Amino acid sequence: MGHHPHILVVDDHAQIRESVTKFLVKNGLRATAAKDAVEMDACLAAGQFDLIVLDVMMPGEDGLAVCRRITASGGPPIILLTALGEDTDRIVGLEIGADDYLAKPFNPRELLARVKSVLRRTSTDAILTGRLAGKTVRFAHLTLEADRQVLRDEQGIETPLTSAEFKLLSVFLERPRMILSRDQLMDLTAGRAAGPLDRTIDNQISRLRRKIEPDVLRPRIIKTVRNGGYSLSCDAEVSA
């Protein structure tokens, strides 16, 4: 399956969140909803998103502050939802890095058109990659050389990783001690949702464990969390 863009809809209005999310999914995109900046940050930490639809008027951290923070850290492109007639919000939003804006109330079809337009402008059609390029990562008894996609143990013995194994391990190393569900892992490694009987992640975990676990039958580095998913149970030290 190809990559289906994943949209994060952030709006404190429940009806807008739900209707926009359903409309995007109905039109072939994946969509996740968050009610505020706190939920948004949790989603961004656990998943891979191609674009954020962000309401300006939210309780807590407002949309403009969120936009400034996300764009400063190199996050996904943003479409702002602004109040009708609030030209200042639109101008400020564009100045701080928003990619587009839409005034409320809006036609869902117009939002979809703008989402597709921004995705076309910002898409590189690149394979999903992590943030470990050029880095060395130490974890448990192993060292990962990211650019070579090679593991080295304490005796200096090297074990090469396949692209799939490297991508999966990178996801864990970027999120140590975080419990990641199968759906989240599929999203982060392949950019798609897992089907109800999809065993892709479980099979990849098994293959990866054979290369990193001292005892495959009693894994202690990547642990299975009952009814949760998987978690890297150690810290990861990243260096240049």
Side-chain angles (χ1 to χ4, degrees), residues 43 50 96 115 120 122 138 147 173 175 190 196 203-205 213 222:
C43 290
D50 299 277
I96 62 178
V115 165
R120 282 195 299 269
T122 59
R138 294 180 178 82
D147 283 0
L173 293 175
R175 300 162 181 82
N203 293 334
Q204 289 182 354
I205 291 284
E213 297 284 356
I222 296 179

Side-chain angles (χ1 to χ4, degrees), residues 24 29 35 38 46 50-51 75 82 96 101 135 155 158 160 168 171 174 178 185-186 192-193 219 230 235 237-239:
L24 293 174
L29 300 170
K35 68 181 181 181
V38 174
D50 299 277
L51 184 145
T82 68
I96 62 178
Y101 65 85
K135 306 292 184 182
Q155 284 73 47
E158 294 188 345
L168 180 59
V171 166
E174 291 172 1
M178 180 183 293
L185 288 168
M186 184 64 81
R192 65 178 177 87
Y230 297 97
D235 294 324
E237 180 185 342
V238 181
S239 58

Side-chain angles (χ1 to χ4, degrees), residues 49-111:
F49 294 91
D50 299 277
L51 184 145
I52 301 174
V53 175
L54 177 64
D55 184 32
V56 169
M57 297 298 293
M58 295 191 301
E61 187 179 13
D62 66 36
L64 292 178
V66 170
C67 180
R68 184 179 291 106
R69 174 163 62 85
I70 294 298
T71 55
S73 63
I78 293 172
I79 296 177
L80 288 176
L81 300 180
T82 68
L84 185 62
E86 291 296 328
D87 291 334
T88 301
D89 286 346
R90 301 177 207 175
I91 294 169
V92 171
L94 293 173
E95 287 177 342
I96 62 178
D99 294 83
D100 203 348
Y101 65 85
L102 192 59
K104 291 182 175 181
F106 55 85
N107 186 316
R109 293 185 65 83
E110 183 177 1
L111 174 61

